[in-house]
Amino acid sequence: MKIVFKIGLLTLLALPCNAQQKVDAEPTKPEETEIWQPKPKVVTVNPETGIPSDAIILFDGTNFDEWISAVDSTKVQWDLNEDGSMTVKNKAGDIQTKRNFGNVQLHIEWRSSPENTGTNQSKSNSGIFLQNRYEVQVLDNNDNDTYVNGQVGSIYKQSIPLAKASSKTGDWNTYDIIYHQPEFDSEGNKTKSGNITVIHNGVLIQDYYEIKGTTEYIGWPKNRSHGQAPLKLQDHGDNSKVSYRNIWLREL
Ligand code: MG
């Protein structure tokens, strides 16, 4: 009798499960798996510039309106060139955007200098710091070896790029970067890592890399809590002569 009672109880308990199975039943019509709302926003791309209609243009070659010195928040001292690019001014310091950003899709173009005769980390070294902290390395590694977690396209001292896709020295490179910022709780503990995807000249070189923390020259990555922050470009201080142009981003 006891056994019969137990089986009866188990059957009763299983009933909600059967009901759930009905909800999850295989759709029988195509319409049952179609979603019509909400509609994605419409973004158009300028056929001449390649810039999406919802992008924030950070540098179009005409001025430094979106930028300040990262050293003292004063006017940018880097060189504005006639060809619509800017060039790092040696020892003028890093520059950063006036605005703060969170998750972004960033497009930026850069060029190493044929005049730069440095070696290792001193050949056209610059860098793109997401949220002022996480560096995607800019470096001329054509005929110039360095440690691979610090070479062109690395997440500096964290992630070796999947490929070296550099243009010839002196030719323009493109970086298309997708970045998601880390998340922190109210006590400042990291609850979710940020991540970076980088496409260099059309080649995937960082594939949704989970950032370990700040990209330090000396020491291990740090994870202090932060919110939105500027985009920063590096003056490495060794006469890099790196140039940038056509910088825009989309907030995600
Ligand atoms: Mg650098």
Side-chain angles (χ1 to χ4, degrees), residues 33-47:
T33 48
E34 292 173 1
I35 297 169
W36 286 67
Q37 296 289 342
K39 283 194 192 324
K41 69 173 175 177
V42 175
V43 176
T44 54
V45 176
N46 183 316

Side-chain angles (χ1 to χ4, degrees), residues 55-76:
I56 296 170
I57 296 171
L58 294 175
F59 182 72
D60 67 0
T62 58
N63 60 67
F64 287 118
D65 287 359
E66 291 283 343
W67 301 83
I68 51 172
S69 160
V71 179
D72 55 12
S73 302
T74 57
K75 232 176 78 185
V76 169

Side-chain angles (χ1 to χ4, degrees), residues 125-127 135 137-138 234 236:
N125 190 331
S126 184
E135 182 183 13
Q137 177 70 298
V138 167
Q234 184 184 41
H236 197 253

